[in-house]
């Protein structure tokens, strides 16, 4: 109950209803009354004097006053991407009424990501702890000791490379979370493909091999063209189409030259070869609780940069037929069941082929590239917040509401070549557009790489349409009006 003065109610559990009734009659606001499933207040760690000093208290069925601080969930956030989700997830934690501790092995990685807007949201955590997050053998007991003092209520990450670590850490601490094996089977592209195949789901012909001779032989058996994939990278890194053995060897050598990922974790030497899937690409955003999956919606995806598979934009909801939407949703749910994913938010990517939807990959975490923002603007469902609530053992409300937005889209500015950015022209039109809800471009001096993965973006424009499915073409139109000027394009005028 929210009170404007110190308050201590003395009563037994049987008197709670009467006490709450009297509090309401006195003009107080009841924040919560715990249900019959509560344990007898094992979380209470505040002294009576401290409770007397609190302005916000909650009365539980056992007649004990609980400070609001005791009832706020404490999230342990283990590492993160430094893109959009590194801001969306801290926001979701705070807006859902909880607090978080940030755990990282390299604080400077995030200090470098801070901008002129101020300190990075990850660094605004209640606590920041440094530990070797790549060494699970020492990390698990270390965090268990911290847990005895700091009392974490949930563990999450937005970084794919730590999804398995977080699942095992939650299990080690006895906190809510998906089965660690399910997370590994979903995240690892080879394990997911094998699980889906074993479950009888239709999919591309594939092979998982190690080394050049087995890779070459598998390609000859499957037949070109093929898609080459590392089994444990993300953001489309090193995923490419190959049309012959020369291109296959180039792809293999490129992977061999990248033995550790961006977080200095050794990579698996396995390579996944797949038949090329032809058709529009979509993703299905889902929420799974106790093994039962609910589909929040289906997202359109635009691709560019052949032979790479770079995502150049997204729109929610997808502009496909109801039958195609249903088929994609059903396939995504079946894929999650195949890997036995039992708790969490997932982002499953598919191709809509002539033979039906086929899964490209499963991601057992909220979608990146601000897809969750598109979903939120259309449906009101905040998937990073849902992700947080599930990790805390809460049951979130994922019912869609009418936000007045009929479609939301994001389009990305890809570099036309590698080079140092001098400036990006055309931003004035973006800044003045009434339907633009978010945009950004890289600053002068940014070193642009070739557009070979989702890490190559030079900017984005996000648009909403309150009338219909026009958000994507509008976002693409605005991005097409941006022009990247490179420093090495300057023409020197003779003196």
């Amino acid at each position: 109950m929210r009170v404007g003065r110190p308050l201590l109610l003395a009563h037994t559990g049987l008197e709670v209803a009467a006490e709450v009734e009297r509090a309401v009659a006195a003009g107080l606001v009841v924040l919560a009354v715990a249900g019959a499933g509560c344990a007898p207040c094992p979380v209470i760690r505040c002294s009576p004097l401290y409770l007397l000093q609190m302005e916000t208290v909650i009365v539980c069925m056992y007649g004990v006053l609980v400070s609001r601080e005791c009832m706020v969930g404490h999230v342990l956030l283990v590492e993160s991407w430094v893109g959009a989700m590194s801001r969306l997830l801290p926001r979701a934690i705070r807006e859902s009424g909880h607090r978080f501790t940030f755990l990282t092995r390299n604080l400077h990685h995030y200090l470098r990501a801070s901008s002129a807007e101020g300190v990075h949201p990850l660094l605004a955590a209640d606590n920041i702890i440094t530990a070797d997050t790549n060494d699970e053998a020492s990390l698990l007991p270390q965090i268990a000791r911290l847990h005895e003092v700091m009392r974490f209520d949930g563990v999450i990450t937005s970084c794919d490379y730590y999804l398995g670590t977080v699942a095992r850490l939650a299990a080690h601490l006895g906190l809510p979370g998906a089965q660690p094996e399910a997370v590994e089977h979903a995240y690892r592209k080879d394990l997911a493909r094998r699980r889906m195949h074993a479950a009888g789901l239709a999919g591309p012909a594939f092979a998982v091999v190690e080394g050049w001779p087995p890779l070459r032989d598998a390609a000859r058996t499957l037949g070109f063209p093929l898609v080459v994939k590392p089994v444990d990278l993300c953001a489309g890194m090193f995923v490419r189409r190959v049309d012959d053995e020369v291109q296959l060897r180039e792809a293999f050598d490129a992977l061999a030259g990248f033995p550790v990922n961006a977080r200095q974790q050794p990579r698996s030497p396995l390579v996944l070869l797949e038949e090329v899937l032809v058709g529009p690409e979509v993703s299905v955003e889902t929420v799974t609780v106790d093994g039962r999956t609910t589909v929040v919606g289906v997202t359109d995806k635009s691709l560019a940069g052949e032979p790479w598979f770079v995502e150049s934009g997204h729109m929610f909801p997808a502009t496909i037929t109801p039958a195609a939407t249903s088929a994609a949703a059903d396939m995504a749910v079946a894929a999650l069941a195949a890997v036995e994913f039992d708790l969490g938010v997932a982002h499953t990517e598919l191709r809509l082929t002539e033979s039906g939807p086929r899964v490209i990959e499963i991601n057992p975490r909220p979608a990146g590239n601000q897809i969750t923002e598109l979903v939120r603007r259309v449906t009101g469902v905040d998937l990073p917040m849902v992700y947080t609530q599930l990790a805390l053992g809460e049951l979130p409300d994922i019912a869609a509401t009418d936000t007045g937005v009929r479609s939301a889209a994001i389009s990305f500015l890809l570099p036309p070549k590698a080079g140092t950015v001098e400036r990006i022209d055309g931003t004035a039109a973006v800044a003045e557009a009434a339907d633009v809800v978010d945009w950004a471009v890289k600053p002068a001096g940014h070193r642009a790489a070739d557009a070979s993965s989702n890490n190559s973006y030079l900017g984005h424009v996000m648009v909403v349409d309150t009338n219909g499915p026009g958000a994507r073409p509008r976002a693409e139109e605005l991005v097409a009006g941006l022009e990247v000027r490179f420093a090495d394009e300057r023409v020197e005028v003779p003196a």
Side-chain angles (χ1 to χ4, degrees), residues 381-395:
V381 178
D382 188 332
L383 288 172
M385 186 177 292
V386 171
Y387 184 54
T388 298
Q389 291 170 321
L390 291 175
L392 291 168
E394 300 175 1
L395 188 61

Side-chain angles (χ1 to χ4, degrees), residues 163-169 171 177-188 191-192 195 336-343 362 364:
L163 290 169
T165 299
V166 161
R168 287 183 285 273
L169 187 53
Q179 297 180 64
E181 296 82 3
V183 172
E184 288 290 338
H185 291 153
Y187 163 68
R188 276 273 300 261
L191 300 180
R195 281 279 176 154
L336 291 168
V339 298
E340 298 182 336
F341 187 63
D342 58 332
L343 181 70
I362 304 170

Side-chain angles (χ1 to χ4, degrees), residues 411-434:
S411 186
F412 297 101
L413 177 62
L414 298 174
K417 65 174 187 176
T420 301
V421 174
E422 183 178 79
R423 69 179 189 273
I424 297 178
D425 295 335
T427 57
V430 175
E432 294 169 1

